C-alpha cells in the first residue's frame, strides 16, 4: 500500500537500460514508492524482484508482463521506457484505470503515436522524447537561434547514440528538427551515428560562409533520464487530462 504522502510509480521497461535507472532512483526516493515493474512477455526477468535486479535489495515488486494480473498497488503514474509497440497498450490501460503517464519511449510510428496521444483525452500524460531538463532548455534556445539567423545559414543536426539504439534518427533529433523547420523554409538535415555505449548526444550546426554556431547537448549518464522522468511524474500527478511536454514540466506553473 502507498502512504498518503507517497507517489506510487509504475515502470514499463523496468528491466531495461534506462527503466532500470528509473527503478533504482525511485527506490532511493522516500517520497516515491515503486508499485509496478513491467517487462516484455518473453523477459528472462519475469517474477524477479525489481529492486534486486538493480542492486538495491528486495523491493517486494516482482517483474510482470501481464497488466491483467497487476501485482501490488495501482500506480499514480506509469513511466514508459519500453518499446514503441508496447506504449499504445500501456496508454490504453492507463487511460482506463485513471493512471497518469510519462511516455519516454521513442520511435513510435504515426498510428502508435496517435494511440498514445488519445490517452490524453482521459488522463494527463507527458510525451517526452527526451526527459533531460537540459534538452528542454536547448529546445527553447534553438527556437530563438533558428528564428534569428537568416536563410544564408545551413542547418544540420547530428545525433549520436549507442550501437543498440533501435530508432534513427532519435526521437529527440526529430523533435529538435521540427522546432528549426517551423522557423525556416529548408528542412533540417539529420545524420545519426550509432557508436559504442554513448547515452545520447545532439548537436545542431548552423553555418554560413563566414561563421558557424553550434548548440550541443550531451547526456553523460542515463540516470539523467531517470531523474527527469521522475520529475515529470511528480509534475503530472493530479493534473487535468491532456498531453503535456517537458517544456511544460520545466516552465509551466
Ligand atoms: N525520453 C528519454 O529521455 C529517453 C532516454 C533514453 C531512452 N529512451 C527510449 O526509451 C526506450 C527504452 O530504451 P532502453 O535503451 O532503456 O532500451 P532497453 O534497454 O532495450 O530496454 C527495453 C525495455 O523494454 C522492455 N520491453 C521490450 N519489449 C516489450 C514489450 N513488448 N512490452 C513491454 N516491455 C517490453 C524490455 O524488457 P525485457 O528486455 O526484460 O524483455 C526492457 O525492459 C527506447 O525507446 C529509447 O529510445 C528515451
Amino acid at each position: 500500500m502507498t502512504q498518503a504522502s507517497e507517489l506510487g510509480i509504475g515502470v514499463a521497461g523496468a528491466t531495461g537500460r534506462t527503466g532500470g535507472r528509473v527503478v533504482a532512483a525511485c527506490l532511493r526516493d522516500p517520497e516515491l514508492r515503486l508499485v509496478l515493474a513491467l517487462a516484455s512477455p518473453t523477459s528472462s526477468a519475469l517474477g524477479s524482484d525489481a529492486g534486486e535486479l538493480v542492486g538495491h535489495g528486495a523491493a517486494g515488486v516482482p517483474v510482470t508482463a501481464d497488466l491483467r494480473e497487476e501485482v501490488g498497488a495501482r500506480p499514480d503514474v506509469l513511466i514508459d521506457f519500453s518499446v514503441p509497440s508496447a506504449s499504445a497498450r500501456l496508454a490504453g490501460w492507463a487511460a482506463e484505470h485513471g493512471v497518469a503517464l510519462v511516455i519516454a519511449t521513442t520511435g513510435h510510428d504515426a498510428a502508435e503515436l496517435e494511440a498514445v496521444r488519445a490517452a490524453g483525452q482521459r488522463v494527463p500524460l507527458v510525451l517526452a522524447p527526451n526527459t533531460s531538463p537540459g534538452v528542454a532548455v536547448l529546445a527553447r534556445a534553438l527556437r530563438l537561434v533558428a528564428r534569428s539567423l537568416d536563410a544564408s545559414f545551413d542547418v544540420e543536426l547530428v545525433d549520436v547514440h549507442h550501437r543498440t539504439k533501435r530508432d534513427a534518427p532519435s526521437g529527440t533529433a526529430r523533435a529538435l528538427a521540427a522546432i528549426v523547420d517551423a522557423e525556416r523554409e529548408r528542412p533540417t538535415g539529420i545524420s545519426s551515428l550509432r557508436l559504442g555505449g554513448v547515452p545520447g548526444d545532439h548537436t545542431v550546426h548552423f553555418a554560413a560562409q563566414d561563421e558557424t554556431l553550434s548548440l550541443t547537448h550531451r547526456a553523460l549518464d542515463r540516470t539523467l533520464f531517470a531523474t527527469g522522468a521522475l520529475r515529470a511524474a511528480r509534475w503530472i500527478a493530479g493534473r487535468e487530462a491532456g498531453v503535456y511536454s517537458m517544456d511544460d514540466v520545466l516552465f509551466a506553473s
Side-chain angles (χ1 to χ4, degrees), residues 12-20 38-46 63-65 80-87 89-90 103-108 128-132 161-162 164-167 170-172 199 222 224-226 229 246:
T15 56
R17 274 178 294 254
T18 322
L38 294 165
S40 76
T42 55
S43 177
S44 58
L46 294 180
V63 174
T64 182
D80 174 30
F81 278 100
S82 62
V83 291
S85 58
S87 297
R89 186 175 61 91
L90 295 167
I103 300 289
T105 298
T106 63
H108 304 103
N130 198 308
T131 56
S132 144
H161 284 86
H162 54 93
T164 57
K165 183 165 177 63
R166 295 171 194 231
D167 52 331
S170 69
T172 305
R222 283 191 181 83
L224 162 74
F225 302 125
M246 282 305 288

Side-chain angles (χ1 to χ4, degrees), residues 5-6 14 25 32 36 54 81 85 88 104 119-120 123-125 137 151 159 188 201 207 213 245:
S5 57
E6 291 174 332
L32 303 175
L36 181 62
V54 297
F81 278 100
S85 58
V123 291
L125 78 90
V137 174
D159 88 87
T188 301
D201 296 348
L213 190 162
S245 67

Side-chain angles (χ1 to χ4, degrees), residues 3-196:
Q3 305 298 314
S5 57
E6 291 174 332
L7 192 65
I9 300 291
V11 181
T15 56
R17 274 178 294 254
T18 322
R21 301 296 179 98
V22 181
V23 168
C26 181
L27 291 172
R28 282 196 301 269
D29 191 323
E31 294 178 358
L32 303 175
R33 187 168 185 85
L34 183 74
V35 299
L36 181 62
L38 294 165
S40 76
T42 55
S43 177
S44 58
L46 294 180
S48 303
D49 186 282
E52 286 182 348
L53 284 177
V54 297
H56 181 275
V61 180
V63 174
T64 182
D66 192 346
L67 286 166
R68 289 169 307 171
E69 291 177 13
E70 182 192 335
V71 183
R74 185 161 298 161
D76 298 302
V77 185
L78 177 62
I79 299 173
D80 174 30
F81 278 100
S82 62
V83 291
S85 58
S87 297
R89 186 175 61 91
L90 295 167
W93 175 84
E96 198 176 315
H97 294 91
V99 174
L101 283 160
V102 176
I103 300 289
T105 298
T106 63
H108 304 103
D109 63 25
E112 290 164 343
L113 197 57
E114 184 57 36
V116 166
R117 295 184 74 92
Q121 291 167 12
R122 296 168 69 187
V123 291
L125 78 90
V126 181
L127 195 51
N130 198 308
T131 56
S132 144
V135 166
V137 174
L138 169 64
R140 286 201 159 203
L142 193 55
R143 186 171 289 114
L144 174 67
V145 172
R147 190 174 290 169
S148 306
L149 295 177
D150 65 35
S152 69
F153 282 78
D154 299 320
V155 192
E156 291 284 329
L157 196 156
V158 182
D159 88 87
V160 187
H161 284 86
H162 54 93
R163 61 169 75 95
T164 57
K165 183 165 177 63
R166 295 171 194 231
D167 52 331
S170 69
T172 305
R174 291 173 196 269
L176 295 176
I179 289 171
V180 177
D181 290 350
E183 304 294 337
R184 300 172 61 88
E185 293 199 344
R186 277 181 293 150
T188 301
I190 306 178
S191 303
S192 300
L193 306 182
R194 296 294 173 255
L195 300 169

